[in-house]
Amino acid sequence: MVAEEPSEVRATAPGRVNLIGDHTDHTGGLVLPMAIDLATVVEGRRGGDAVVVTSEDRAGRAVIGLDGAIVDGSPGWSCYVAGVVAEVAPPTGLDATVRTTLPLGGGLSSSAALEVAVALALGGPDDPVELARLCRRAEQRATGVPCGIMDQLASAAGVEGHALLIDCTDETVEPVSMPSAIEVVVVDSGQARELVGSPYAERVAACRSAEAAIGPLRRADPSDLAAIDDPTIRRRARHVVTENARVRAAVEALRAGDLAEVGRLVDASHESLRHDFEVSTPELDDLVARLRRHPGVLGARLTGAGFGGCVVALARPGALTGWAPERSWTVTPARGAHRVTGLG
Ligand code: GLA
């Protein structure tokens, strides 16, 4: 076999914030995230017989064999790199650094951005859906959490100036223009969130039980829910069915420029996640309530999996300027992941 020439590569992958449509992706539902202007960059040289990634942001160097095995002494985040290596199965290694402008573990999909950037740097697929599928498998391998495809696909398929309406059944992505009259502000609750060991998998299982009773939640409507006997499972399913409808309605309202309606739907999404899906916390509820009281805020909700992490507020431009600046980010919809090879 002829050895592949080592070559320079730089891969960039953004984080994401989900505007509406949480806990719908794992039942093939609708989501409306956007890739954001905070990103992870993996830069280095292909070649060698291991994947070595050195972090510029936190201590440690991930050393992964080409079979995906983590070499002893590698830091905790190495599992994401290893998951990607196992899925890409690259013919040669990589010696690279990683740096990011994303808050780590803060609910803006820093792990998905790492996976997508590493996959691209290793020569993973250019097609965003293929890339996202691969990275979702890598995330599941790394964490054992049965996550959906939203985070990886938002990072892979981002379009500048647009949110992404993703149909998680057929994995299609439709860019939806974001009005300049809306500013998207993400606020970290400060409550640490770890999906491993959280009730995420239990919520996914509850949705599976609901589907065993009434078929795919994606095609269910509220009148079908009465056929679910268990009241807890029924509430979980009601969240999913109504959230899918809210995503559709939010896209229509964005297109019509009806910002008050967008805000109302965002608020309703939080209430459904809190009451029916029970993934909010008192800290998240308190933050959402304080944001909603602020003049110029159209709506606010937890974003992502819940159990801590971040809240997203949609606001009139400038309305939240100076609000908790040490843990909030005004984000804009950004281009998705991309790769440059043969640098210099
Ligand atoms: C996490 C998962 C996603 C999605 C959200 C909730 O971010 O990784 O797949 O399920 O939670 O919407």
Side-chain angles (χ1 to χ4, degrees):
M1 194 177 111
V2 180
E4 198 178 286
E5 278 296 303
S7 64
E8 309 283 324
V9 61
R10 179 172 61 229
T12 304
R16 67 95 184 96
V17 61
N18 191 20
L19 303 180
I20 192 164
D22 270 312
H23 287 285
T24 49
D25 64 347
H26 44 72
T27 45
L30 301 175
V31 295
L32 189 69
M34 64 185 213
I36 60 176
D37 54 331
L38 300 171
T40 296
V41 179
V42 170
E43 184 164 10
R45 172 175 277 260
R46 298 283 310 278
D49 55 9
V51 173
V52 181
V53 181
T54 306
S55 172
E56 293 184 358
D57 307 292
R58 44 182 175 183
R61 162 180 295 220
V63 183
I64 315 293
L66 289 184
D67 57 355
I70 301 176
V71 173
D72 280 354
S74 296
W77 52 269
S78 305
C79 63
Y80 299 108
V81 181
V84 172
V85 174
E87 290 293 337
V88 174
T92 61
L94 171 74
D95 188 3
T97 58
V98 60
R99 59 181 186 276
T100 192
T101 50
L102 281 161
L104 298 171
L108 295 180
S109 288
S110 54
S111 65
L114 176 62
E115 289 150 9
V116 172
V118 170
L120 274 182
L122 287 174
D126 286 320
D127 176 71
V129 175
E130 289 298 320
L131 179 63
R133 284 185 187 146
L134 182 149
C135 291
R136 177 195 188 187
R137 292 195 302 271
E139 168 96 22
Q140 293 187 343
R141 220 182 239 273
T143 63
V145 174
C147 65
I149 200 168
M150 170 172 69
D151 304 346
Q152 290 79 12
L153 189 48
S155 178
V159 177
E160 201 177 334
H162 293 72
L164 307 172
L165 171 60
I166 301 177
D167 177 329
C168 298
T169 293
D170 54 19
E171 296 174 340
T172 51
V173 180
E174 198 182 324
V176 177
S177 179
M178 279 298 285
S180 56
I182 293 184
E183 199 160 77
V184 180
V185 180
V186 180
V187 186
D188 187 354
S189 68
Q191 189 180 15
R193 184 211 59 134
E194 256 298 339
L195 288 192
V196 179
S198 78
Y200 186 98
E202 185 268 330
R203 295 296 189 280
V204 173
C207 292
R208 296 277 172 276
S209 303
E211 295 195 313
I214 63 168
L217 291 179
R218 172 55 196 285
R219 290 204 288 273
D221 75 33
S223 64
D224 297 325
L225 299 169
I228 302 173
D229 293 332
D230 182 298
T232 303
I233 305 283
R234 199 183 316 126
R235 274 190 295 123
R236 304 293 186 252
R238 182 168 66 180
H239 164 71
V240 175
V241 171
T242 58
E243 186 80 346
N244 282 330
R246 281 186 289 272
V247 173
R248 281 189 207 287
V251 169
E252 276 170 32
L254 279 172
R255 287 185 172 142
D258 187 348
L259 306 192
E261 176 66 0
V262 174
R264 193 193 66 74
L265 291 160
V266 163
D267 287 348
S269 169
H270 183 82
E271 295 320 310
S272 179
L273 287 160
R274 183 182 66 77
H275 181 267
D276 281 354
F277 219 66
E278 290 185 282
V279 293
S280 192
T281 63
E283 288 83 349
L284 290 171
D285 293 342
D286 178 62
L287 189 51
V288 162
R290 284 189 292 132
L291 282 161
R292 285 180 188 163
R293 283 199 294 270
H294 199 88
V297 170
L298 301 161
R301 59 185 285 277
L302 72 84
T303 181
F307 317 111
C310 287
V311 159
V312 63
L314 303 192
R316 301 279 180 194
L320 287 168
T321 303
W323 206 86
E326 68 288 352
R327 55 193 183 92
S328 69
W329 300 265
T330 298
V331 292
T332 55
R335 172 185 181 191
H338 49 281
R339 160 177 60 201
V340 181
T341 51
L343 312 165

